[in-house]
C-alpha cells in the first residue's frame, strides 16, 4: 500500500497517510477538527479544503460550486491522496470553540439527598492473627468492614487479595480501604498500609452530542474543585447521533475511532482540571457519566447500529459500573465508571439526570421537562405517572441544514430584531464578534421577527413586500440579508432563505408535535401543564416568548417556564455524591412509560398541523396570534 506525506496549511502540520485514508481522517489525526454534519457521506459539503499541491482521487464533490472546484476545493471526507500533498484548511471549515454551558442554575437541588458518595476511603484497624485465632486475612477484613459500614454485601477482587497479606503486615494491621459502591454492593478496590492517604476525587461527566462538560469533585468534602467544558471532538464525524452512528458502522474500526475521540476529549478536560492543583490522574476514583444513549454506547465502545434501525433497540439502557481500565479512561485504572441509566434509544441518561435534578417524580404538579437539541427529548408527568418521548428535531437548532447556519461559536448570530417598514436589522453575536453565521437561538428570533414584520407568511414563504434591498432572489430562491458582506466577519453576506425558514419550521413542529402527542395519549390539554422546565445549552439562549410565538413551545404564561441549566452535569454530580440519588435515578427510569412516536399516526398528524406559524389551529396560541386570523 502506498504511503504519502500530507502537510496541512497554514498550521504546517505533517502526517503520514496511506492511500486508503481520506483527508478528513488525516486532518483529525493532525489535530485539526473539520466541520461536518453528514457522517462522512459527502452530502453536507461542509468539510471543504483546498489542494495546493499534489494529486488526489475524489469519490464525490457534493454541493461544491464550479467556482470552488476551479479554485481547488475538495471535500475532505471524499478525497484520498495519490501523492504527497499540501492541503489548505480555510478558517470557515474548522471547528472553533462552542458556547459550553457549565453553570449550575439549581444548586439548591443538589442538597436534597444526604452526602453519601459512591466512593470513600476509610481507616480501620484489625486485630492481628494468633495461634488462637486463625481467621484468614480476607475474612478478618470483611468482619471489621461489615461492623463499620453496617453493610453485608462486600466484594474483594483478586488483585486486592494478592496484595492484602503484605499490606496488612506493613501497616501493622492499620490500613486505609478504598470502597466503591456498585449498585448496592461495596467493592474493595484498593488497600493501603497505614492511615495516611492522598485526597481522593470523583468526576461527573456530561457527554453531549455537541459539547462535553467535566466537573471534578472532592469526595471527602463534596466540594467542587473545578468544572470545564469543550466541544465534542466527534463532531468531525457528524453533527447528530444518526450521522455518527452511520460513520461508526460504515467505517472500518469506526466504533473504536469514535471511542478514542471522546476519550481524548475527556482527557483534555481532566488535564485542564487538575493542572496546578497537586492532583494526579490516579487521584480520581469514581466517575458518573450522563449522556444520550448513542453517546454512552460510543463512550463504552459498544456498537450503536441498532439504535437507528427499527424497532430501535439499544444494547443496554442500564449497565453495571465498569473499571476505567476497561475503556482506557485517563484516571486511576481501578476507578469505577457508572453511566446513568436511560429509558430508550433516544431518551438516555442525560434525561434521567435532568428528571432526577428537578424531582419530577416527586411533584404533585403535572410538569413537562424538555431538552432540545438535534433531538427533542421530553418527560411529562408527576409523582403518579411519567411518560417520555423523543422527536427528531433535526440539525436546524444546531445550525445544520441552514445555508449560513452554525453552532453557538464566536460570531454566531444569537439574537435578531427587525425594524418594521425599514427592515433594518439589529444583531447580537456570540462574544460580540462580527457575524459569520446564525445559530439556533438566532434562527428562532429571526423567524419570529420576520413573522411580526410581515416579511413571511404563516407557512414560511416570503410575502410580497415593498422594494427593499434586503429581500432578493439568489439562484431562483428568495432570501433575506441579515448582515452585509462589509459588516460580516467572513466578507460574505449572511442570509436566511425560504428553504432555511421551512427547515426550522419543520424542527419546531417536531418539538410541539411531540408535546401534543404525549398530551393526547394521556388525555390532557396544553393548559393542564402546570410547569415547564427547559434544560440544556440551547435552552439557555432561547427567547421563550419568540419560541412560543413561532409555535415551538406551548402558549402558556411565561411564569410557568423555568430554565434549569445544564441538568445533565448537575444530575451526574448529584448522583456521584449520593447513593440515595443514584437509587432514585435507577427507580425513576422504571416509572417512565416510553412513547414511540413512529407507531401510529398521532405524531404525524400533530406534526402536519404544526407546520405553520404558529400552528394550523390558532386557538392553541391565543396570546400570539392577534391579527393573524
Amino acid at each position: 500500500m502506498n504511503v504519502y506525506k500530507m502537510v496541512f496549511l497554514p498550521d504546517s502540520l505533517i502526517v503520514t497517510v496511506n492511500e486508503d485514508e481520506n483527508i478528513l481522517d488525516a486532518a483529525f489525526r493532525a489535530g485539526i477538527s473539520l466541520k461536518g454534519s453528514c457522517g462522512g457521506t459527502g452530502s453536507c459539503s461542509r468539510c471543504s479544503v483546498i489542494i495546493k499541491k499534489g494529486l488526489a482521487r475524489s469519490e464525490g464533490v457534493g454541493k461544491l460550486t464550479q467556482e470552488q472546484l476551479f479554485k481547488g476545493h475538495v471535500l475532505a471526507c471524499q478525497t484520498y491522496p495519490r501523492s504527497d500533498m499540501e492541503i489548505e484548511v480555510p478558517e470557515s471549515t474548522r471547528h472553533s470553540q462552542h458556547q459550553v454551558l457549565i453553570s449550575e442554575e439549581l444548586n439548591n437541588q443538589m442538597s436534597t439527598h444526604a452526602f453519601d458518595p459512591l466512593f470513600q476511603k476509610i481507616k480501620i484497624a484489625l486485630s492481628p492473627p494468633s495461634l488462637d485465632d486463625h481467621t484468614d486475612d480476607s475474612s478478618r477484613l470483611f468482619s471489621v468492614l461489615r461492623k463499620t459500614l453496617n453493610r453485608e454485601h462486600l466484594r474483594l477482587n483478586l488483585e486486592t487479595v494478592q496484595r492484602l497479606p503484605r499490606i496488612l503486615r506493613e501497616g501493622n494491621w492499620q490500613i486505609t480501604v478504598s470502597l466503591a459502591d456498585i449498585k448496592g454492593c461495596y467493592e474493595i478496590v484498593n488497600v493501603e498500609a497505614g492511615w495516611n492517604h492522598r485526597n481522593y476525587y470523583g468526576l461527573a461527566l456530561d457527554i453531549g452530542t455537541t459539547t462535553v462538560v467535566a466537573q471534578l469533585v472532592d469526595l471527602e468534602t463534596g466540594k467542587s474543585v473545578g468544572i470545564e467544558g469543550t466541544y465534542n471532538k466527534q463532531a468531525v464525524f457528524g453533527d447528530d447521533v444518526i450521522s455518527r452512528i452511520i460513520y461508526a458502522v460504515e467505517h472500518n474500526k469506526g466504533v473504536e475511532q469514535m471511542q478514542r475521540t471522546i476519550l481524548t476529549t475527556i482527557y483534555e478536560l481532566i488535564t485542564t482540571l487538575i493542572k496546578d492543583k497537586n492532583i494526579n490522574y490516579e487521584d480520581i476514583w469514581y466517575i458518573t457519566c450522563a449522556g444520550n444513549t448513542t453517546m454512552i454506547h460510543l463512550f463504552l465502545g459498544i456498537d450503536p447500529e441498532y439504535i437507528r434501525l427499527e424497532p430501535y433497540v439499544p444494547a443496554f439502557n442500564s449497565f453495571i459500573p465498569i473499571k476505567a481500565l476497561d475503556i482506557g479512561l485517563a484516571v486511576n485504572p481501578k476507578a469505577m465508571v457508572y453511566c446513568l441509566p436511560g429509558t430508550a434509544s433516544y431518551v438516555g441518561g442525560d434525561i434521567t439526570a435532568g428528571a432526577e435534578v428537578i424531582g419530577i417524580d416527586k411533584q404533585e404538579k403535572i410538569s413537562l421537562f424538555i431538552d432540545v437539541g438535534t433531538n427533542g427529548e421530553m418527560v411529562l408527568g408527576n409523582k403518579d405517572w411519567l411518560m417520555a418521548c423523543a422527536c427528531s428535531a433535526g440539525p436546524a437548532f444546531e445550525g445544520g441544514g441552514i445555508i449560513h447556519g452554525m453552532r453557538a461559536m464566536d460570531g454566531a448570530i444569537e439574537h435578531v430584531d427587525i425594524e418594521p417598514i425599514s427592515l433594518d436589522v439589529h444583531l447580537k453575536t456570540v462574544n460580540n464578534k462580527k457575524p459569520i453565521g446564525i445559530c439556533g437561538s438566532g434562527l428562532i428570533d429571526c423567524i419570529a421577527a420576520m413573522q411580526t414584520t410581515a416579511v413571511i407568511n404563516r407557512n414560511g414563504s416570503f410575502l410580497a413586500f415593498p422594494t427593499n434591498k434586503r429581500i432578493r432572489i439568489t439562484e431562483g430562491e428568495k432570501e433575506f440579508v441579515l448582515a452585509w458582506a462589509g459588516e460580516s466577519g467572513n466578507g460574505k453576506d449572511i442570509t436566511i432563505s425560504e428553504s432555511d425558514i421551512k427547515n426550522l419550521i419543520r424542527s419546531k413542529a417536531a418539538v410541539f408535535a411531540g408535546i401534543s402527542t404525549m398530551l393526547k395519549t394521556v388525555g390532557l390539554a396544553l393548559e393542564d401543564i402546570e410547569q415547564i422546565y427547559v434544560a440544556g445549552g440551547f435552552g439557555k439562549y432561547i427567547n421563550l416568548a419568540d419560541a412560543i410565538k413561532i409555535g415551538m413551545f406551548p402558549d402558556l404564561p411565561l411564569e410557568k417556564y423555568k430554565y434549569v441549566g445544564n441538568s445533565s452535569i448537575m444530575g451526574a454530580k448529584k448522583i456521584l455524591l449520593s447513593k440515595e440519588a443514584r437509587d432514585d435515578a435507577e427507580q425513576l427510569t422504571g416509572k417512565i412509560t416510553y412513547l414511540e412516536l413512529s407507531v401510529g399516526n398521532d405524531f404525524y398528524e400533530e406534526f402536519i398541523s404544526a407546520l405553520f406559524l404558529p400552528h394550523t389551529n390558532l386557538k392553541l396560541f391565543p396570546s400570539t396570534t392577534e391579527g393573524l386570523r
Side-chain angles (χ1 to χ4, degrees), residues 45 52 100 137 222 261 345 349 360 364 384 401 426 429 438 442 471 536 580 609:
S45 302
K52 306 300 288 187
V100 181
D137 291 344
T261 303
S345 283
I360 193 169
E364 295 282 350
D384 297 319
H426 304 283
T429 64
I438 185 166
I471 300 175
E580 184 183 3
S609 297

Side-chain angles (χ1 to χ4, degrees), residues 11 19 32 81 108 117 140 212 272 276 290 315-316 377 434 446 465 470 475 490 525 534 537 549 551 555 614 624:
D11 314 78
E19 60 188 2
I32 300 171
N108 61 312
R140 191 176 301 276
V212 182
T272 302
D276 301 326
F316 67 94
E377 297 131 338
K434 286 188 175 183
C446 183
F465 203 90
R470 287 190 182 272
E475 295 183 0
N490 56 13
V534 180
K549 184 180 293 184
D555 189 3
T624 68

Side-chain angles (χ1 to χ4, degrees), residues 147-219:
K147 292 177 182 177
T148 304
L149 301 170
N150 193 26
R151 182 75 69 91
E152 284 296 319
H153 301 293
L154 298 170
R155 196 165 72 189
L156 189 60
N157 60 55
L158 176 60
E159 190 271 339
T160 304
V161 176
Q162 291 170 338
R163 298 174 53 247
L164 184 61
R166 183 176 298 278
I167 294 297
L168 287 173
R169 288 155 182 85
E170 285 180 356
N172 194 27
W173 302 94
Q174 292 183 338
I175 59 172
T176 300
V177 182
S178 297
L179 298 158
D181 190 275
I182 315 294
K183 290 192 178 182
C185 172
Y186 269 128
E187 176 159 331
I188 303 167
V189 295
N190 195 41
V191 290
E192 302 169 75
W195 285 357
N196 296 316
H197 64 263
R198 290 180 59 86
N199 291 347
Y200 53 96
Y201 302 87
L203 190 72
L205 287 175
D206 164 33
I207 302 181
T209 310
T210 305
T211 59
V212 182
V213 177
Q215 186 165 20
L216 189 64
V217 181
D218 187 322
L219 292 181

Side-chain angles (χ1 to χ4, degrees), residues 259-388:
Q259 185 184 33
R260 284 197 305 272
T261 303
I262 190 58
L263 290 174
T264 299
T265 305
I266 295 168
Y267 169 75
E268 292 178 0
L269 289 173
I270 295 172
T271 301
T272 302
L273 283 167
I274 66 176
K275 185 179 180 181
D276 301 326
K277 293 186 176 72
N278 193 30
I279 299 173
N280 298 326
Y281 298 99
E282 292 76 15
D283 295 327
I284 301 173
W285 281 93
Y286 210 106
I287 298 91
T288 51
C289 179
N292 68 57
T293 309
T294 298
M295 291 300 100
I296 297 301
H297 275 58
L298 294 173
F299 171 62
L300 297 179
I302 296 171
D303 185 353
E305 180 176 10
Y306 300 102
I307 289 175
R308 67 177 285 264
L309 299 178
E310 193 174 340
Y312 319 113
V313 176
F316 67 94
N317 282 317
S318 180
F319 204 65
I320 61 170
I322 62 169
K323 281 191 166 55
L325 177 65
D326 294 338
I327 57 173
L329 189 60
V331 294
N332 193 301
K334 298 178 184 178
M336 303 306 298
V337 181
Y338 170 71
C339 296
L340 275 66
T343 301
S345 283
Y346 297 104
V347 178
D350 51 347
I351 303 305
T352 302
E356 169 61 24
V357 164
I358 66 172
I360 193 169
D361 61 328
K362 297 177 175 61
Q363 299 189 24
E364 295 282 350
K365 292 181 178 180
I366 294 175
S367 302
L368 176 65
F369 171 70
I370 309 175
D371 193 334
V372 178
T374 52
N375 278 329
E377 297 131 338
M378 52 198 80
V379 181
L380 175 71
N382 62 7
K383 67 182 183 62
D384 297 319
W385 59 274
L386 292 171
M387 177 172 285

Side-chain angles (χ1 to χ4, degrees), residues 413 425 427 434-436 470 472 480-490 492-496:
I413 297 170
V425 179
L427 305 174
K434 286 188 175 183
I436 58 174
R470 287 190 182 272
R472 66 191 189 190
F480 183 90
V481 180
L482 295 170
W484 300 104
E487 305 167 331
S488 73
N490 56 13
K492 300 177 182 178
D493 292 342
I494 309 300
T495 64
I496 183 166

